[in-house]
């Protein structure tokens, strides 16, 4: 079947693929749009390897003059991304925690600060770090399936979303909704997420990629330079805050995650997940 | 009648009462929920005595491991709280004004910064300082009676809401609505308050306490620690601003309230209130 | 026909007129309301001369004890204001660019920081700088004609709205909507603008002035002093940011506008406008 970015009846556009491990990327050179598909079953969890590949691909596309926009979606049914990989945070060394957290920061700095147009086509559930990926894009379209939910549910697991997750969330839904949602660790079903402004648009699942391509085309109709400067102006304050406190943020994460009480609850959570299977 | 926090048919939960003067408090040890009822007729005005008792009770509950959440409501029909007691601001000494204003600040710092879950069950009108009390909670449920209104109406009386009242208001409704509402000193009837986001939910008056208990149970289903750290992260910037400018804010209040023009309009306002009776 | 500010059947109120060049102003001394009508055909573009006259008139009214509020509207059919005059930014000297930009800043500082109640009666399209004028008022009423649109569409022209345009916009519609609207350079038809909160109210075009007068009367029912202090408190942070970076902002504008690429696209844009006629 033709790609949704490929108008029917036209010859195939030149298309380059790379990074075929966990996140296959296809760049359509005629439209300037890259498609990134999270393909790390069972739940696209953000492991160190996944995050590293994500950041490298973003950097490649950022530096590729042929690429002006990225659509981010999932190749795994029912899940966009389950968020940070808990196995990276459990029973590992301080050095590992540090390396992992720096990779989480790096991914966000690249995505939230990207000069490209970034559209999230959320075709499944998207808790915690998965939600952060969607929040960091310019526009969020979600499949209107009420079984899919999205939110920063860290508080449900007894952990606290970092301040820059919070800043990104507040920039999207405002302070009042963020206070409640973050304290309750809410996972909002798609229709509720749309009502709160957490996602910009709902479409039937089978129309999701078509809609994402149409939205992308609308954004790419603008000249890049002015749009990029505008985006930087809008997001700079929040990006700068992490840049200024990056090492401190890593230290805080290590101190927190190394606590025996936290390790214990993460182990229990992992046991529970295993039993579910 | 059984407490709304007491499921029917179960034996009475152990329950401790204290502070029976202006704000009776009942702590249900089985649920961890305290009920504070403003009971200072005719209008629950926030006098120095009321504020002091309020802050002491909040501090007691904060330090009581048996208490995890507080529902704040009124025992006086038709009124939640009428706000700051004007008699404390009229014809008194500088020392008195200073002591009074410090007590207003103290109440807000304790309530807005509370580690407990705080739910306002707004069962009557709630102007000015009464609105501030509601705004400082985590969640606001209001009786859907359109005769009950809520808002920071200071401008109507010719006075200006302090910056931390304003910050709290903006955190709830955003800048645009806050600009208009504060400049007009609007008192919003319950349905309008709900539409603006000033209250989170409307329920029929007879269901108010039941709903407050249900909401509280939902919030208490979360582990305390992560929720508390999240709340602190969300509210710290606004709390810190008052802490940093507390003495200056007291001086500003004294200078303002001592002006003959202000004293005159407060006296006229008090005369008007007396005639109303 | 009687002025909408003039109740029918009453003797004519004393009325002073001034500034009859590009922006006729009529001050109704009985109500304390001035009416400013942009009358600079074909499109009320904000030229250096227009901006200077606008600022001088605002200053006069500000210092006139008889004036408490201003209604700003257009005497040109279908257009409120087309925004900054491109001829002022094209093929001129550095000195001219500097003088022009300072005049834009001056207008905004006076209008956004005005002590008077300011109501925009938006009776036509209002792109870019025209939108800024409306955003800087206390309240925006727009004719409900879907052919009229409003927005900061600078990105469409390949240029970037200055940070204080952005700050003013964010204060009205919030961060999420501002990010999208500014990046896309959207011109929102009146009904959409209303839905986004960009304008506060829509009315049929023939009722616009009547409604503006009614809204003004509602705002003027409040004592001036408390309202003015409240407004200053709400807007000070954003005003101070430009005051602190005013010279830097002028330098940035000159550097940007002097670029050959920008000059070229402005020339092309002007050619296009000429052909449209």
């Amino acid at each position: 079947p033709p790609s949704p970015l490929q108008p029917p009846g036209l010859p195939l556009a030149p298309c380059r693929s790379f990074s075929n491990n966990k996140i296959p990327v296809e760049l359509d050179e005629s439209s300037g749009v890259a498609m990134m598909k999270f393909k790390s079953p069972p739940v696209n969890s953000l492991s160190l390897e996944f995050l590293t590949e994500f950041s490298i691909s973003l950097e490649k596309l950022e530096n590729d003059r042929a690429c002006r926009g990225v659509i981010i979606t999932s190749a795994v049914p029912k899940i966009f991304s389950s968020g940070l990989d808990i196995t990276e945070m459990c029973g590992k060394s301080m050095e590992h925690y540090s390396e992992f957290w720096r990779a989480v920061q790096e991914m966000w700095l690249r995505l939230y600060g990207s000069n490209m147009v970034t559209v999230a086509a959320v075709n499944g559930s998207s808790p915690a770090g998965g939600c952060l990926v969607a929040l960091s894009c310019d526009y969020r379209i979600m499949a209107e399936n009420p079984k899919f939910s999205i939110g920063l549910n860290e508080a449900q697991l007894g952990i606290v979303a970092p301040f820059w997750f919070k800043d990104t969330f507040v920039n999207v839904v405002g302070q009042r909704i963020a206070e409640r949602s973050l304290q309750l660790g809410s996972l909002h079903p798609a229709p509720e997420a749309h009502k709160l402004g957490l996602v910009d648009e709902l479409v039937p699942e089978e129309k999701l990629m078509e809609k994402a391509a149409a939205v992308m085309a609308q954004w790419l109709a603008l000249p890049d330079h002015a749009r990029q400067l505008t985006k930087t102006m809008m997001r700079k304050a929040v990006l700068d805050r992490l840049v200024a406190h990056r090492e401190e943020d890593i230290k805080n994460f290590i101190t927190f995650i190394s606590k025996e009480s936290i390790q214990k609850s993460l182990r229990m959570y992992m046991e529970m997940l295993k039993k579910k299977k």
Side-chain angles (χ1 to χ4, degrees), chain A:
Chain A
S3 141
L5 296 170
Q6 178 65 35
L10 289 183
L12 275 173
C15 200
R16 279 183 289 145
S17 299
F18 61 89
S19 295
N20 285 299
N21 194 5
K22 290 177 181 300
I23 315 172
V25 179
E26 276 195 15
L27 170 59
D28 180 322
E29 296 197 346
S30 69
S31 65
V33 179
M35 178 78 70
M36 297 185 101
K37 284 196 174 165
F38 295 163
K39 195 177 180 177
S40 182
V43 290
N44 291 329
S45 61
L46 306 173
S47 63
L48 179 55
E49 200 186 330
F50 186 103
L51 289 164
T52 306
E53 189 181 325
F54 194 5
S55 289
I56 290 174
S57 289
L58 284 172
E59 189 183 9
K60 266 194 204 168
L61 295 172
E62 201 81 52
N63 295 326
D64 188 334
R65 283 168 165 268
C67 183
R68 300 174 60 212
V70 190
I71 296 173
I72 299 177
T73 193
S74 166
V76 174
K78 295 181 193 165
I79 192 94
F80 180 71
S81 162
S82 66
L84 303 185
D85 187 341
I86 289 175
T87 63
E88 304 280 11
M89 303 189 264
C90 205
K92 297 286 199 296
S93 69
M94 300 290 185
E95 288 70 31
H96 186 85
Y97 295 149
S98 170
E99 192 185 356
F100 176 64
W101 199 247
R102 193 178 298 278
V104 181
Q105 294 175 331
E106 188 66 24
M107 178 277 289
W108 178 77
L109 289 169
R110 287 205 175 278
L111 184 58
Y112 198 63
S114 173
N115 270 325
M116 302 178 286
V117 175
T118 50
V119 172
V122 185
N123 55 349
S125 284
S126 197
C131 177
L132 181 74
V133 170
L135 288 171
S136 302
C137 290
D138 291 314
Y139 199 80
R140 283 155 292 286
I141 311 166
M142 191 165 179
E144 66 187 357
N145 189 337
K147 286 184 187 164
F148 298 161
S149 63
I150 184 168
L152 294 180
N153 63 325
E154 281 79 355
Q156 292 270 5
L157 314 183
I159 59 179
V160 181
F163 71 87
W164 39 286
F165 283 49
K166 182 267 289 178
D167 288 345
T168 311
F169 199 66
V170 169
N171 266 357
V172 173
V173 299
Q175 174 81 12
R176 179 173 63 94
I177 290 169
E179 276 198 14
R180 194 195 328 162
S181 185
L182 289 181
Q183 285 194 68
L184 289 174
S186 304
L187 285 174
H188 305 286
E192 187 178 292
H194 181 235
K195 218 173 136 191
L196 296 177
L198 187 45
V199 297
D200 297 293
E201 206 168 344
L202 294 185
V203 293
E205 197 165 352
E206 67 276 14
K207 303 266 187 188
L208 189 59
M209 298 317 297
E210 191 184 325
K211 184 74 200 181
V215 165
M216 180 60 82
Q218 184 198 2
W219 284 66
L220 293 184
L222 276 282
D224 281 337
H225 190 62
R227 189 194 48 70
Q228 287 164 356
L229 291 174
T230 303
K231 183 172 178 177
T232 301
M233 175 174 66
M234 300 295 302
R235 297 193 164 182
K236 194 173 185 309
V238 161
L239 286 161
D240 283 355
R241 248 185 109 193
L242 178 58
V243 171
H245 298 96
R246 194 165 177 179
E247 299 308 318
E248 191 188 329
D249 183 58
I250 293 173
K251 272 184 206 152
N252 285 344
F253 172 74
I254 298 176
T255 307
F256 177 77
I257 212 70
S258 311
K259 279 184 190 159
E260 188 39 39
S261 59
I262 298 297
Q263 285 293 313
K264 194 178 157 190
S265 56
L266 292 176
R267 279 194 304 268
M268 283 169 59
Y269 187 70
M270 279 166 59
E271 285 304 313
M272 197 191 73
L273 291 179
K274 274 180 200 165
K275 278 174 197 159
K276 263 194 175 174
K277 297 179 203 170

